[in-house]
Amino acid sequence: MATVSEFVIQRIREWGVSRVFAFPGDGIGEFDGALGKAERDGEGLKYVRPTHEEICSLMATAHAKFTGEVGVCVATSSPGAFHMLNGLYDAKMDNQPVVAFVGQQGLASLGTFTQQENNLERSLADVAVYVQTIVSPEQAQAVVDTAFRTARVRLGPAVVILPHDVQGMKFKALAPANWVSRSSAVAPSISIVPPESEIVKAAGIINAGRKVTFIVGHGSNGATDEVLEAARLAGAGIITALRAKQVVPPDVAYHSQQLGLLGSLPSMHQMKDCDTLVFLGTNYPYSQFLPASGQARAIQVDLKPEQMGLRYPTELNLWGDVKATLTALIPHLEAKTDLSWQEGIAGEMVEWENEMEAQAMLSYPDGVNPRRVYHELNKRLPPRAIVTADAGSTADWYGHHIRLQRGMMGDLSGRLASMLAAMPYAVAAKFAFSDRCVICTIGDGAFQMLGMNELITIKKYMKEWDNPQFIIMVLHNNDLNQVSWEMRTEDANPVWETSQEVESIDYAGWAELLGFTGIRLKNDGDVAAAWDTAFANQGVTLIDAYTSKNVPPLPPHITAEFARNTGEALLKGDPSELGVIRDSAEALLSEGIERVKGKLHIGQEKTKDTD
């Protein structure tokens, strides 16, 4: 007769899960023992043990993002469960299905203030779409199945709490009985399509628009062809959310990449001028960059109804899967014959890409230009590459310079914007797609948090990967750079070195200590060669890029507030005042020159057209 733990492990397998990200402890000890037995019997789950429970939950979230499957993480009772909170909130805020199994002290201890006993249901209630303690063997089946079903349908983390004594109780097949639920390990379909009448309304709004823009989010994953066909018919420009770069290829001329501080000027111009706005699988959070109320008719398509109509006053909200909804919508769309809106966006994007290249080619006296590091990486991305970025300045350069072709993937912690996610994301991606080249781009602050530890995880597991190529690029500027710039631009405060300075470490040396290849990148002229060396190495490479901390993460349009706050911060005695002034001025000058060149080029093209 199986134990509860043995039954739960088998049930996890029946839900299609083959890998769990876990960290052991006595509170989950009986379950860990059952995992070991299942592994010896050849019926177990692949058990991946990184260096920290937070990494476990971030890896589970990343697995869900990259594969579309349910991610699973396991940890011991209170300390392990609490360590996993950050990754579970990442899953919640980016709408990812994750199931966490956490230990608990024995049933008799609940509410008695004993060692490591806390009210985990109450503690985890905010983060979880479903949280439940299994208190008897008869309850186990229904709780596990409900956790997986709820995570999948409500797109968030579910938590199953396993008291230590319940883990070892005997489980027997369920028979009809009062209070006993006999459930199934069957996932419900989320290929939801709105009613035909709503589809017709949506088509009418889009067909009536002359300047239509699609904002495409991660919820559109798997719907690339449908998004492109709908945009073609609607004559629409396309903007992708930062987490949706992989949905729309960069060779679509009227795809203007991202919107906002990490976005492009053509995207900002679309928001200024569009008359119809269609949100596809996105909860884009920065409403200040969206059109003025009443300027555009708006539609939103999403599987999260509670998140629709929040950022902009939409006229129509369609509760549905993006792919299925667009498949139903496309036959009702009328092909636009006037494509001047798309052509204008495409022309501006040529100018913008030239500007990004010009910014990348600037040199600074106090370190490598971080833009050049990303620009040269983008030129060398191999087919099917996977790129991760962190929530600091790496997100700026990822947004401005990385262009994911069809078949490539990329991601980061989105709405939570948690530091250090780039490393667990990259390692989880490598486990899911071990034949692909994975590139982790991370700042030195995030790398010191837990990223350095994960080189140990890579060393432990890399022999299992089909392709051992794994590249980590650390932006080494000895500064919590994104926050430094936010202090200046948002609050008009000078940088406070006590909080912002990062102790300099030989990151390449740390990689070499573990037997990996380390590259110390200290000159702009060596950037291309560093990437060539990394991509030629069939193993793990760490590029330690000594970059300037004073390169401004310039928004596509410098607002008066941005400029005023930065000026005030410098006047208050910013420790990097001279470097910031010099480097910002150089970047702004380059930006202005490229925009003038672009306008002259467009003017020449128009002249040619009239000849």
Side-chain angles (χ1 to χ4, degrees), residues 176-379:
N178 190 28
W179 298 332
V180 174
S181 294
R182 290 168 291 149
S183 59
S184 62
V186 178
S189 170
I190 56 172
S191 184
I192 301 170
V193 182
E196 178 73 8
S197 60
E198 299 293 282
I199 294 290
V200 171
K201 286 181 187 176
I205 294 170
I206 295 171
N207 289 337
R210 294 189 307 109
K211 299 178 179 180
V212 181
T213 288
F214 289 178
I215 299 185
V216 178
H218 193 268
S220 299
N221 253 348
T224 296
D225 292 337
E226 290 76 12
V227 169
L228 295 183
E229 177 62 8
R232 183 189 69 81
L233 292 168
I238 300 175
I239 296 170
T240 46
L242 192 62
R243 293 193 52 240
K245 274 181 174 289
Q246 63 201 35
V247 177
V248 181
D251 56 4
V252 176
Y254 41 86
H255 171 206
S256 57
Q257 296 291 324
Q258 284 72 66
L259 174 67
L261 294 180
L262 280 61
S264 71
L265 195 62
S267 291
M268 185 171 286
H269 288 166
Q270 284 195 70
M271 291 299 94
K272 180 182 177 182
D273 298 329
C274 72
D275 60 22
T276 308
L277 193 55
V278 182
F279 297 90
L280 296 172
T282 180
N283 182 27
Y284 179 77
Y286 304 107
S287 59
Q288 68 268 35
F289 298 109
L290 297 176
S293 296
Q295 172 191 316
R297 303 178 72 183
I299 301 168
Q300 188 163 354
V301 181
D302 212 293
L303 282 170
K304 300 283 283 188
E306 68 273 24
Q307 295 181 5
M308 291 196 286
L310 278 177
R311 310 299 179 205
Y312 190 81
T314 48
E315 182 176 336
L316 185 63
N317 291 321
L318 300 179
W319 186 8
D321 167 65
V322 171
K323 183 181 179 74
T325 301
L326 288 181
T327 298
L329 177 67
I330 284 170
H332 298 279
L333 295 179
E334 300 168 357
K336 293 282 197 304
T337 55
D338 180 1
L339 300 180
S340 58
W341 174 242
Q342 285 183 336
E343 291 165 354
I345 295 165
E348 280 196 63
M349 272 306 290
V350 172
E351 178 185 344
W352 178 256
E353 296 289 33
N354 289 338
E355 182 175 313
M356 288 298 94
E357 182 172 15
Q359 293 276 350
M361 290 301 106
L362 295 174
S363 293
Y364 299 96
D366 52 354
V368 173
N369 184 347
R371 288 184 178 275
R372 186 175 300 191
V373 176
Y374 280 78
H375 177 75
E376 295 294 343
L377 166 61
N378 186 64
K379 291 198 297 186

Side-chain angles (χ1 to χ4, degrees), residues 40 56-57 94 97 112 141 148 180 185 226 333 381 410 413 421 443 479 535 558 596-597 600 605:
R40 292 190 295 274
C56 293
S57 55
D94 280 349
T112 66
Q141 184 183 87
F148 275 95
V180 174
E226 290 76 12
L333 295 179
L381 287 175
S413 175
D479 183 58
F535 282 117
I558 307 299
V596 168
K597 284 182 180 178
L600 287 173
E605 290 298 317

Side-chain angles (χ1 to χ4, degrees), residues 3-6 9 22-38 40 47 53 74-78 80 101-106 116 161-169:
T3 65
V4 168
S5 291
E6 290 168 341
I9 292 165
F23 204 92
D26 65 331
I28 195 74
E30 184 75 30
F31 186 78
D32 286 341
L35 281 169
K37 179 179 182 297
R40 292 190 295 274
Y47 186 94
E53 292 97 341
V74 182
T76 191
S77 52
S78 297
F101 292 87
V102 300
Q104 175 62 290
Q105 301 308 298
Q116 291 193 343
I161 301 168
L162 289 165
H164 191 274
D165 50 356
V166 175
Q167 295 169 31
M169 291 180 180

